[in-house]
Amino acid sequence: VKGGVAYGLLANSNTSMAVFIFVWHLGAVWMVAMLACMSRLRNYFRIECSPAQAHVVQVEERQEEMVMMEGTQNRLTLLVNRIREALVRKFDLNIVIESCAAQRLSPDDERVFIEYHCTRYVLSSASGQFQCHTFGLGNTHRAMLAHRGGLTTQQASDRGFYIGENFIRVAVPSFPVALLKEFLSYIYLYQMMCMWVWFYFNYYKMALVQFSVIIASAFVKVAIRLHSEYKVKSLAEHNSECRVKRDGKWSVLSTADLVPGDVVAVDAGMEIMCDGCVLQGEVVVDESSLTGEAMPVRKLPLKMDDMAYDAQQGASKTYSVIAGTRVLQCTGSIIASPSHSMPSLLSGKSLAEKQAIASASSDDEPETQILVTQTRTATDKGKLIKRILFPVRYSFVFDEQLRVAVLFLLAYAGLGFALSIWLMGHDMTSWLYGVFVLAQTCQPLIPASLTIGQSVAAHRLRRQNIFCIDLPRTIMAGKVQVFCFDKTGTLTKEGLEYFA
């Protein structure tokens, strides 16, 4: 039958609208339930077992939010915050769920580990829990100097299993995957449900325009975020070669094989790929890329005494080197030009030249040596990269007040929706007009317009080599009026200048 008029499902009738409204509500409820359970749905059909037998481990982490509202809260924002916190606690809305593959070095190896947030966690046979391991080398100068003999190959292998390779892998999704993750949110669900009603109501011209704007803004947002993530990936994933003392002999190894307790030879021009302390010789390093210190910093060797050693505090920083810094000069080596980038002493050399250097190094003790104390995400550079990849959620005045504004808009839209149905006769057409009122009050293009504005701001920042992987942070950065620095040494230069 032409047009399905006989069944009344495809014609312009109340039955047709009733079917559409039913399917619309069913689709909305289904999609909301899918989004709410999406993080758990992946493991729902897997069989739960002990961690030692698992192939996949579900990690649940409670993600706290830092509220920056000191001195600006009022009764209304406090009330909204209390209601929101009660809902978060009731339904565990602040729990982040991630599935990690349970790995083993070999099929016969009973030891199980997972990689979570670029850090290795090994299953403990005693507690039955996955734990992050650290290796303490001592807390005094004398204890640190006792490790100058280096490690054996077996010791390094055992520590490498518990720590993981000294290489931070940054997983950047492909564009289709990133785009799919972008669309899997409640904002886009609300926008698509509104567009669905507009298309059905033959309001396709305006719906097509808004639909195109929403899709375009999503593409731009994903492209900018992926570009910034690739920049972070290039910063984090760096690997070179160095001379390491293993089994009492010096050999050329990849920096990814370094573990706490290794002794590494230092030469001018090389980039330090771990946190450590100077065992012998003196080092001048460039720390500007990490600490902002414009002037080269001199590092001295540890003394044979019982002075406490803590790389993060006090005088111990004089004896410590950090990952990501470059050696400008060291004892027994020539000065490296600060403008010359040399990722490794052995970069660009042939295999025969590397073996020759290693053979000569086994007989000649390097004049400058450092002891590896931290690797991977335990280093200062690793912690910085981890904070960039997995930032702490902050809520500013803008965010708290925006929630209040959204609640007022929802209340106003609900009132308009109810009045539309009441004044237009309680039929199917009144429901459609009520959705139009709802969509015009809570405009679906508001998130798209914010995204476009943030994308333009991020593009301008990128021209000045400033990259942002969290676009909403640019709004907060634009409101900053006062910067507080802990020192002025990184903002000035040596010497005085006189003007008139």
Side-chain angles (χ1 to χ4, degrees):
V1 179
K2 184 178 179 180
V5 177
Y7 297 100
L9 295 180
L10 302 178
N12 295 323
S13 61
N14 285 336
T15 306
S16 172
M17 286 188 288
V19 171
F20 171 79
I21 293 173
F22 173 77
V23 174
W24 188 91
H25 281 92
L26 181 63
V29 173
W30 174 262
M31 291 304 297
V32 169
M34 289 292 291
L35 290 177
C37 304
M38 185 171 54
S39 57
R40 299 181 182 273
L41 190 63
R42 185 177 182 182
N43 297 324
Y44 181 77
F45 297 98
R46 289 174 173 153
I47 301 175
E48 187 175 352
C49 61
S50 63
Q53 300 174 329
H55 295 279
V56 177
V57 178
Q58 179 173 294
V59 181
E60 299 184 8
E61 181 182 7
R62 189 174 299 276
Q63 192 175 58
E64 302 296 337
E65 186 178 54
M66 302 291 294
V67 180
M68 314 294 287
M69 285 280 290
E70 185 176 355
T72 59
Q73 288 182 320
N74 51 45
R75 293 182 179 179
L76 189 57
T77 56
L78 287 174
L79 176 61
V80 172
N81 281 337
R82 281 196 294 267
I83 296 175
R84 177 175 172 272
E85 290 174 359
L87 292 175
V88 167
R89 288 193 302 267
K90 178 68 175 179
F91 299 101
D92 291 330
L93 300 179
N94 60 342
I95 292 182
V96 179
I97 301 175
E98 184 174 336
S99 297
C100 302
Q103 305 179 52
R104 295 171 177 83
L105 294 181
S106 65
D108 298 332
D109 197 342
E110 297 181 355
R111 298 176 299 179
V112 183
F113 66 90
I114 61 173
E115 298 280 347
Y116 178 68
H117 286 185
C118 304
T119 305
R120 177 169 293 188
Y121 294 84
V122 180
L123 179 63
S124 172
S125 58
S127 62
Q129 298 178 344
F130 288 91
Q131 298 176 350
C132 178
H133 287 261
T134 58
F135 290 92
L137 302 178
N139 54 10
T140 63
H141 288 197
R142 192 183 305 276
M144 304 298 286
L145 288 170
H147 298 280
R148 65 174 61 196
L151 300 175
T152 64
T153 303
Q154 184 61 40
Q155 288 176 327
S157 177
D158 292 339
R159 295 189 181 189
F161 170 80
Y162 288 100
I163 299 294
E165 61 178 356
N166 184 32
F167 187 80
I168 300 177
R169 300 186 183 276
V170 179
V172 179
S174 62
F175 189 86
V177 173
L179 190 63
L180 178 62
K181 291 181 178 180
E182 175 68 21
F183 283 127
L184 293 178
S185 65
Y186 294 104
I187 292 295
Y188 287 102
L189 175 60
Y190 169 73
Q191 293 171 334
M192 294 303 106
M193 299 306 290
C194 290
M195 296 301 104
W196 190 6
V197 174
W198 292 9
F199 278 117
Y200 173 79
F201 206 68
N202 204 26
Y203 199 42
Y204 62 91
K205 293 182 179 179
M206 193 62 189
L208 188 61
V209 172
Q210 297 202 16
F211 183 79
S212 302
V213 172
I214 293 171
I215 297 298
S217 64
F219 271 79
V220 172
K221 183 178 180 179
V222 171
I224 292 177
R225 187 173 69 246
L226 287 181
H227 185 271
S228 299
E229 289 182 0
Y230 276 115
K231 285 292 183 180
V232 176
K233 181 181 179 70
S234 63
L235 173 66
E237 295 185 351
H238 185 75
N239 192 16
S240 59
E241 293 174 321
C242 60
R243 290 183 292 163
V244 185
K245 195 173 187 178
R246 292 276 176 89
D247 298 319
K249 298 180 180 180
W250 292 96
S251 57
V252 177
L253 297 176
S254 170
T255 54
D257 297 328
L258 295 179
V259 294
D262 270 329
V263 176
V264 179
V266 178
D267 294 272
M270 70 179 294
E271 182 176 343
I272 297 175
M273 303 300 296
C274 59
D275 284 0
C277 58
V278 183
L279 294 178
Q280 69 180 51
E282 296 184 7
V283 185
V284 178
V285 295
D286 178 14
E287 296 183 346
S288 58
S289 61
L290 288 178
T291 64
E293 184 61 56
M295 302 300 295
V297 181
R298 182 187 181 190
K299 302 296 183 178
L300 302 176
L302 295 171
K303 301 176 182 179
M304 186 59 73
D305 55 30
D306 294 322
M307 180 183 295
Y309 176 81
D310 186 353
Q312 303 297 327
Q313 297 180 359
S316 296
K317 292 184 178 181
T318 307
Y319 312 101
S320 304
V321 293
I322 55 179
T325 59
R326 196 167 68 89
V327 179
L328 301 179
Q329 184 181 7
C330 63
T331 304
S333 184
I334 61 174
I335 299 177
S337 172
S339 60
H340 178 67
S341 177
M342 186 185 303
S344 171
L345 173 70
L346 304 172
S347 295
K349 289 182 170 57
S350 65
L351 178 61
E353 291 174 323
K354 294 176 182 178
Q355 291 175 346
I357 292 175
S359 177
S361 300
S362 62
D363 298 329
D364 302 331
E365 191 75 9
E367 296 188 39
T368 307
Q369 303 173 17
I370 63 172
L371 174 67
V372 179
T373 56
Q374 299 290 351
T375 59
R376 216 176 184 187
T377 53
T379 64
D380 286 352
K381 179 183 177 181
K383 294 175 182 178
L384 175 62
I385 294 174
K386 193 173 180 179
R387 284 196 296 268
I388 295 175
L389 294 175
F390 314 104
V392 178
R393 294 191 345 195
Y394 286 90
S395 181
F396 296 90
V397 180
F398 171 80
D399 300 303
E400 299 298 319
Q401 295 177 349
L402 183 61
R403 294 189 182 103
V404 178
V406 169
L407 287 178
F408 274 109
L409 281 177
L410 291 176
Y412 184 70
L415 179 61
F417 181 81
L419 289 176
S420 298
I421 295 178
W422 181 49
L423 296 176
M424 296 188 66
H426 305 82
D427 56 4
M428 303 299 174
T429 306
S430 64
W431 182 90
L432 294 173
Y433 278 103
V435 173
F436 275 108
V437 172
L438 181 67
Q440 292 302 320
T441 305
C442 301
Q443 180 56 244
L445 283 185
I446 291 179
S449 59
L450 290 175
T451 299
I452 293 174
Q454 295 166 4
S455 302
V456 172
H459 180 68
R460 291 176 179 175
L461 291 174
R462 193 167 66 250
R463 292 177 181 175
Q464 303 182 27
N465 293 324
I466 301 174
F467 301 96
C468 179
I469 61 176
D470 189 10
L471 293 182
R473 295 290 178 97
T474 57
I475 300 177
M476 298 298 105
K479 299 296 293 183
V480 175
Q481 298 178 350
V482 178
F483 282 92
C484 297
F485 295 91
D486 61 343
K487 57 182 177 179
T488 59
T490 58
L491 307 179
T492 58
K493 60 182 180 180
E494 187 178 5
L496 296 175
E497 294 183 1
Y498 295 92
F499 295 94

